[in-house]
Amino acid sequence: MSMKRLVPPALALLLAVTALASLFLGQYQVTPGQMLAFIGGKLFGAGWGGGLDATLLPLIDNVLIDIRLPRILAACLIGASLAVSGTSFQALFINPLVSPGLLGVLAGASFGAALGMILSDSWLVVQCSTLFFGGAAVMAAVLITRIFVGNSAIMLVLGGIISGAFFTAALSIIKYTADPSNQLPAITYWLMGSLSAVNLQTILILAPIMLAAIFFLTIHGGRLNVLSMGEEEAAALGLNVARTRLIIIFLATMASAMTVVIGGVIGWVGLIIPHICRMLIGPDNRLLLPTSALLGALYLLVVDDICRLVFTFEIPLGIVTSLIGIPFFLLVLKNAKRGW
Amino acid sequence: MAKEELLRLDNINFSYQKRTILSNISFSLTQGELILLLGPNGGGKTTLLKILLGLLQPRQGSVFFAGEPLTAYSRAQLARRIAYVPQAHREIFAYTVEEVALLGRTPYQSLFAVASAEDKRIAQAALEKLDIAHLGQRCYTEISGGERQLTLIARALVQGAELFIMDEPVSGLDYGNQMRLLEDIGKLAATGISCIMTSHFPDHALLTDCRAVLLHNGGIIADGAPTDVITRNNLRLLYHIEAEVLATPDGGRCFCLPTWAMREEERRLS
């Protein structure tokens, strides 16, 4: 019991160390001395960075601040958001095989990104369109369920399937009509998920919102425990089921849609990280959610480091998370005989 | 001598789309009373339980709890007074028995739901009361059906409710555990907790000091002491079987002995 409580702080420490180490990783070698001098210079004024050659400063600034830092932040934010959303959805729908895309958010966001790419050259338009359609897809799922089939969790899944199928079809139409020499490859690569195009400005705008969504999902752990008993029991235990469910869906949708805005579609993180965390510390969502956030961040950071370093060319992150995710998932299934 | 009335149903009607599920249901329950609801599948038992829990609203009529209409209570207020004990389910996530019991503290906790030492003490006391304290740290998914049912009853105790609504609590259990659980439920009633439980077995009513309410086609056809209402005629009406209601040689207990189960064709002819 007490050992379990040590897992989140240990993961936080590991994440901090890995993030710092990731700043050193890459084609261009930065020495610890240079790093220290550079950070000191940034924090305390130029005079402090005594050991640093003035001509190197713009280069190091470019490598660390413009290239590596945004990727590290993006990997952590995306990993944490997907893992927390996945954990929340698995408890909410009482189904350990559910991932954040269940209600159509990833399908909608993908469609939005593709639509933005063929309509405009502006990156901002693409990002806004991604976010808008990610939210719209989930709203459609919720409304379809409300209007046609009632209001239970299982019916919501059906609404999500319908909404997801619609936006997947709409995405195919966009791809079909896109210019095959420029737009189609751009859309296709985007949907594979990659962090090679992130910029610090986008991250700094989205980070507070994503962190807020992660935080509010995390404090709903106790309520998710109650919800995972089933709707009727949750209501009989004193919970306002419909309201709590909508809050959780809203937060998870926001967090997931923003991961697509930053890095395209990155699969499997939201499915396997919750499982690995449950194997580590059990199903209590109060502890599981923060653990998922930290492990999700750590996992995607390490995978992105691998993407950057192992291959001479950059391979899309989404492909690697899937390739790593599948054997992990088989391992999880093997251990899941006692319950999740 | 008159005990205080805890629950009163006033002419409850419920229909789903155009099908009438419950019609003109009225009865009341006093503190510490145990009502066993008997009736065939589709007779409206589960619907009635959901109305009592405030999960479904009746088309007509009202439910009064402690003198106030059920609709006057918030969900959390209701949860402190009425607990739902579902049929033991196979939980998907491997919570420990203690964690499941602690969920009973939900209506008392803030959003953060941090279990205080007091919460844990209450949960521990409930587990001890049902003799399952030794299972506290075991996974709910790994214990037997009877132990799971006891865990859910412990959770209802943790809720501090005065009325337990139990949906076929003994159905999934083996013969021995059925009898033990009936005994445990009888003991709860003796401590002042009122129970309404459903069952498929008339014998469960005859074995327990309870009041039997017979539900047929959405209406109450009999309400009273088990030996008075569990009769040959009522069993035929409810379940389409011929059964003798016999007394043990010493006359202490009665039991049902089915002799002939009517098939569909015979039912239509009769």
Side-chain angles (χ1 to χ4, degrees):
Chain A
M1 190 64 210
S2 56
M3 286 295 281
K4 286 181 186 174
R5 295 199 172 278
L6 293 178
V7 172
L11 279 174
L13 191 70
L14 198 58
L15 179 62
V17 171
T18 312
L20 191 65
S22 301
L23 271 178
F24 290 100
L25 299 176
Q27 300 286 329
Y28 182 82
Q29 296 287 328
V30 181
T31 66
Q34 284 172 325
M35 176 82 77
L36 208 61
F38 176 76
I39 294 172
K42 276 273 170 193
L43 290 178
F44 307 111
W48 204 83
L52 208 57
D53 188 344
T55 55
L56 271 178
L57 201 61
L59 180 65
I60 293 182
D61 189 79
N62 181 276
V63 168
L64 294 185
I65 302 296
D66 295 338
I67 299 175
R68 291 184 192 166
L69 184 65
R71 283 193 80 137
I72 292 167
L73 292 177
C76 292
L77 281 170
I78 293 174
S81 298
L82 290 173
V84 167
S85 304
T87 306
S88 305
F89 270 16
Q90 288 178 3
L92 183 68
F93 293 101
I94 323 176
N95 185 339
L97 301 177
V98 154
S99 62
L102 181 76
L103 296 181
V105 60
L106 298 183
S110 304
F111 166 77
L115 185 70
M117 282 182 202
I118 63 162
L119 288 184
S120 165
D121 288 332
S122 156
W123 201 230
L124 186 68
V125 171
V126 174
Q127 290 174 330
C128 290
S129 167
T130 305
L131 202 55
F132 174 79
F133 282 101
V138 173
M139 210 136 76
V142 172
L143 287 179
I144 289 169
T145 314
R146 272 281 161 87
I147 294 166
F148 293 104
V149 282
N151 192 25
S152 67
I154 185 78
M155 292 304 175
L156 260 175
V157 176
L158 287 177
I161 290 172
I162 293 168
S163 172
F166 172 76
F167 281 100
T168 306
L171 172 65
S172 295
I173 295 173
I174 301 259
K175 279 176 160 178
Y176 188 69
T177 54
D179 164 20
S181 54
N182 301 317
Q183 292 170 340
L184 187 58
I187 292 171
T188 307
Y189 287 131
W190 179 249
L191 294 180
M192 287 176 185
S194 169
L195 298 182
S196 56
V198 295
N199 67 68
L200 193 58
Q201 210 185 351
T202 312
I203 303 282
L204 291 181
I205 294 168
L206 295 182
I209 310 173
M210 293 171 90
L211 288 173
I214 292 169
F215 172 76
F216 284 112
L217 280 174
T218 302
I219 63 171
H220 274 82
R223 295 188 172 197
L224 279 166
N225 286 349
V226 181
L227 275 174
S228 74
M229 291 280 130
E231 287 159 65
E232 280 162 6
E233 282 180 67
L237 285 166
L239 199 68
N240 185 333
V241 174
R243 194 181 66 194
T244 311
R245 200 161 54 196
L246 272 186
I247 292 173
I248 289 163
I249 289 173
F250 173 74
L251 292 169
T253 300
M254 260 201 335
S256 312
M258 285 182 191
T259 67
V260 185
V261 172
I262 297 177
V265 179
I266 294 166
W268 285 86
V269 179
L271 183 63
I272 57 162
I273 296 298
H275 284 288
I276 295 170
C277 291
R278 247 182 245 116
M279 277 162 62
L280 286 174
I281 56 145
D284 181 352
N285 287 291
R286 287 168 299 180
L287 200 57
L288 188 64
L289 286 162
T291 308
S292 291
L294 291 164
L295 191 67
L298 181 64
Y299 171 74
L300 208 61
L301 183 59
V302 170
V303 172
D304 188 50
D305 284 344
I306 294 171
C307 284
R308 278 163 50 193
L309 295 175
V310 174
F311 307 97
T312 48
F313 54 95
E314 173 108 19
I315 63 168
L317 188 59
I319 297 177
V320 182
T321 55
S322 300
L323 287 179
I324 298 180
I326 291 163
F328 251 120
F329 195 63
L330 288 173
L331 192 75
V332 169
L333 284 180
K334 190 170 174 290
N335 284 303
K337 285 172 192 152
R338 307 186 329 153
W340 303 90
Chain B
M1 185 58 213
K3 280 192 178 173
E4 208 164 316
E5 182 185 87
L6 189 65
L7 182 80
R8 182 158 54 86
L9 282 80
D10 231 359
N11 222 3
I12 298 290
N13 283 275
F14 186 85
S15 50
Y16 183 71
Q17 285 163 357
K18 280 189 178 147
R19 209 162 74 85
T20 303
I21 310 278
L22 295 173
S23 54
N24 304 324
I25 302 280
S26 298
F27 67 87
S28 60
L29 167 106
T30 58
Q31 203 202 339
E33 197 173 15
L34 171 59
I35 286 184
L36 207 134
L37 213 53
L38 285 167
N41 286 331
K45 298 193 299 282
T46 305
T47 307
L48 183 56
L49 293 193
K50 284 185 185 173
I51 287 173
L52 294 178
L53 286 163
L55 298 175
L56 287 177
Q57 297 307 319
R59 244 343 109 74
Q60 268 173 33
S62 357
V63 181
F64 293 91
F65 183 80
E68 299 279 333
L70 215 55
T71 45
Y73 295 87
S74 74
R75 274 256 65 98
Q77 283 172 335
L78 219 50
R80 293 176 195 190
R81 308 194 68 176
I82 304 180
Y84 174 44
V85 181
Q87 201 174 346
H89 40 52
R90 186 164 269 287
E91 186 50 45
I92 289 183
F93 301 112
Y95 294 109
T96 65
V97 167
E98 192 194 26
E99 282 168 345
V100 174
L102 270 170
L103 289 179
R105 294 298 289 170
T106 305
Y108 303 91
Q109 285 166 335
S110 67
L111 175 63
F112 293 94
V114 182
S116 65
E118 172 74 357
D119 292 337
K120 290 198 171 168
R121 195 191 56 72
I122 291 169
Q124 192 60 30
L127 295 177
E128 274 164 19
K129 194 169 178 181
L130 297 166
D131 287 326
I132 50 168
H134 60 285
L135 298 175
Q137 297 309 315
R138 291 273 301 279
C139 283
Y140 179 80
T141 44
E142 290 180 320
I143 57 179
S144 74
E147 290 165 341
R148 279 206 290 271
Q149 195 66 62
L150 286 173
T151 306
L152 293 176
I153 294 174
R155 189 180 71 186
L157 282 172
V158 172
Q159 266 175 266
E162 300 142 74
L163 172 62
F164 286 13
I165 307 281
M166 304 186 170
D167 195 2
E168 289 176 27
V170 293
S171 291
L173 310 183
D174 69 45
Y175 196 46
N177 278 329
Q178 286 195 0
M179 296 309 129
R180 274 182 283 275
L181 195 70
L182 281 175
E183 246 179 62
D184 288 336
I185 292 171
K187 279 183 206 158
L188 285 181
T191 64
I193 289 171
S194 314
C195 292
I196 296 181
M197 61 181 274
T198 58
S199 171
H200 278 309
F201 293 96
D203 278 322
H204 288 162
L206 293 168
L207 281 164
T208 324
D209 292 318
C210 70
R211 193 173 120 205
V213 173
L214 274 50
L215 210 56
H216 181 245
N217 282 345
I220 292 176
I221 57 159
D223 177 352
T227 43
D228 294 338
V229 299
I230 295 175
T231 61
R232 204 185 173 113
N233 281 340
N234 282 340
L235 290 175
R236 189 188 300 128
L237 186 60
L238 244 52
Y239 301 109
H240 305 289
I241 63 165
E242 288 299 327
E244 306 276 352
V245 182
L246 302 169
T248 48
D250 62 1
R253 283 285 180 195
C254 292
F255 61 96
C256 303
L257 182 68
T259 53
W260 178 43
M262 271 184 247
R263 300 289 152 184
E264 192 63 37
E265 282 163 49
E266 296 152 347
R267 225 187 280 179
R268 250 180 272 130
L269 290 172
S270 69

